[in-house]
Amino acid sequence: MIVPRGLLALVPAALLLPAAQATPLVYREESATATAAAPTTTVIHDWAAGWATGFPVHSSCNATLRTQLQQGLDEAITMAAHARDHLLRWGEDSPFVQKYFGKNSTAEAIGWYERIVAADKTGIWFRCDDPDQNCATQAGYGGHWRGSNATKETVICPLSFSTRRFLNSMCNLGYTVAGSPLNTFWATDLIHRFLHLPPIAEDVVGHAAEGYNDVLEVAKTSPTESVRDIHALQYFAADVYAYDIAAPGVGCTGEAAEEEEQTATSTTTATPSATSAAAKVRREPDTHSSSRNKYNVRS
Ligand SMILES: *[C@@H]1O[C@H](CO)[C@@H](O)[C@H](O)[C@H]1NC(C)=O
Ligand SMILES: *[C@@H]1O[C@H](CO)[C@@H](O)[C@H](O)[C@H]1NC(C)=O
Ligand SMILES: *[C@@H]1O[C@H](CO)[C@@H](O)[C@H](O)[C@H]1NC(C)=O
C-alpha cells in the first residue's frame, strides 16, 4: 500500500499494521463480549533476555578447532568457578588466599571470577582466523587480544592448538604452578585472555605483578592491587584447582623457576597508546607468545 505522506494521518491505524500486529485488535473486539476471555496481551518483563553466559566461538573456527577451543573455554570457566568457590568457602582462612591476595577483602577477587563465569558475553568473539596478521608475522604468538582493532575480540593462533594442555593433565607431565608457564593450560591462558576483555574486566583488572615471586610480593605489600592483578588471579586459580580438585590435598605448587627474574621480559610488541597508568597496565600488549621462552610468564 502506497500512502502519500500527508495522508498518513487519515489512514486508520489498523490498516498500517502488518497482519500479525493487527490481529489482536480484531480479537480484542470479538472477545470483549465473551466472559472469562484470556488476556490478549500479557506483558512479560524478561529481565534476562539476551544474556549470553558462554564465550562465543567465531565462525572462523572450523569444526576441529571449535571442539578444542570450546573445551578450553569450558575448562577456563570450570577453573574460575572453583577459584570463586574456594574463596567463598574459606575466605582469608585459606593459606592460598593469604598467599596470593594478602590480607584484605576477598569480595573483589570473587567478583572477577564470577564475571568470567556468568557476565554477559554478548559481542565477545574468540576467533581462529588471523585478521591482524599477528599469528603469521609474530613468532611464538599463541593468540592476542585485538586491542583497539576490536576490543571485544581475541584471536587464537595455531600455536595454541598444538601446545596448550587440558586440565586432565594438571600436576602431570612435570607441571608445577610456580615453575611452569602460566599459559601451559588452556584454562589458565584463557583466564588471562578473558581478563583483557573490557566486558569482563571493566577496565579495572590489569598487570601489577610480573611472575610468581612478584605476585607473592605484591600480595604482601599491596593486597588491594593483587585482587585485580591478572597473574595473581591466574596463579591462585591454578593452585587451588591443583590442590582441591586435580590432586586433592596434595596439589603441585612447586617452586618458582630460578631464571624467572631474568627471563620474564616482555616479548611483545607495541599496542595502542594509553593515557592513565591504570590503562597503561591494562593495555600492556598481551600477545601471548609462548614456547619461545620457557618461563615467559607474561605470555
Ligand atoms: C581445521 O583447521 C585446521 C587448521 O587449519 C586444519 O588442520 C583442520 O584439518 C581443519 N579441520 C576441518 C574439519 O576442516
Ligand atoms: C584493604 O583495602 C582497603 C581499601 O583499599 C584499604 O583501605 C585497607 O588498608 C586494606 N587493608 C589492609 C589490611 O591492607
Ligand atoms: C590492528 O590492525 C593493524 C592493521 O591491520 C595492525 O597493524 C595492528 O597490529 C593491529 N593491532 C593489534 C593489536 O593486533
Side-chain angles (χ1 to χ4, degrees):
M1 179 171 57
I2 298 168
V3 182
R5 252 180 188 282
L7 293 178
L8 268 177
L10 302 174
V11 180
L15 288 180
L16 292 173
L17 292 172
Q21 277 172 273
T23 308
L25 288 177
V26 175
Y27 178 62
R28 222 176 275 149
E29 269 169 32
E30 284 169 352
S31 62
T33 52
T35 52
T40 52
T41 49
T42 310
V43 179
I44 298 172
H45 171 55
D46 184 1
W47 72 270
W51 185 0
T53 55
F55 283 93
V57 175
H58 190 253
S59 58
S60 58
C61 304
N62 70 23
T64 43
L65 299 182
R66 178 176 294 265
T67 298
Q68 211 176 339
L69 178 54
Q70 188 63 59
Q71 186 177 335
L73 292 166
D74 291 347
E75 291 189 352
I77 288 183
T78 297
M79 184 182 266
H82 179 70
R84 173 202 63 198
D85 291 347
H86 184 103
L87 284 159
L88 291 169
R89 168 61 184 89
W90 297 106
E92 65 172 7
D93 291 342
S94 162
F96 292 102
V97 174
Q98 290 168 16
K99 173 180 167 185
Y100 291 105
F101 300 128
K103 281 199 169 297
N104 215 310
S105 169
T106 57
E108 184 166 343
I110 289 168
W112 297 128
Y113 292 124
E114 183 61 20
R115 288 197 59 77
I116 288 173
V117 172
D120 178 49
K121 315 296 193 311
T122 302
I124 289 175
W125 288 113
F126 275 76
R127 48 197 301 164
C128 301
D129 53 359
D130 192 11
D132 301 322
Q133 289 295 295
N134 281 323
C135 302
T137 60
Q138 309 294 319
Y141 269 32
H144 67 95
W145 177 50
R146 294 195 67 200
S148 57
N149 287 345
T151 57
K152 294 183 181 181
E153 296 191 6
T154 303
V155 173
I156 303 297
C157 298
L159 182 66
S160 280
F161 293 94
S162 60
T163 55
R164 302 285 182 259
R165 298 179 192 169
F166 290 110
L167 283 181
N168 59 10
S169 75
M170 173 58 86
C171 296
N172 194 0
L173 307 174
Y175 172 85
T176 65
V177 176
S180 301
L182 276 169
N183 62 15
T184 301
F185 291 95
W186 279 106
T188 41
D189 184 50
L190 289 171
I191 284 174
H192 190 153
R193 296 181 192 282
F194 297 160
L195 292 173
H196 275 293
L197 297 171
I200 301 300
E202 300 181 324
D203 294 346
V204 170
V205 182
H207 287 289
E210 182 67 51
Y212 183 80
N213 289 331
D214 200 19
V215 162
L216 304 193
E217 186 60 29
V218 172
K220 288 192 195 109
T221 58
S222 189
T224 50
E225 286 184 63
S226 291
V227 291
R228 51 180 65 180
D229 173 59
I230 291 180
H231 287 169
L233 291 162
Q234 285 179 285
Y235 275 121
F236 174 80
D239 218 356
V240 296
Y241 187 88
Y243 189 85
D244 293 340
I245 308 290
V250 181
C252 51
T253 300
E255 285 174 15
E258 275 173 28
E259 51 268 72
E260 183 181 79
E261 295 304 320
Q262 293 84 18
T263 59
T265 53
S266 173
T267 57
T268 53
T269 56
T271 36
S273 61
T275 45
S276 71
K280 186 157 177 259
V281 162
R282 176 177 61 80
R283 293 243 167 91
E284 201 165 340
D286 235 276
T287 41
H288 303 87
S289 56
S290 74
S291 55
R292 204 161 50 162
N293 179 345
K294 192 176 174 199
Y295 299 106
N296 179 10
V297 291
R298 182 189 294 269
S299 64

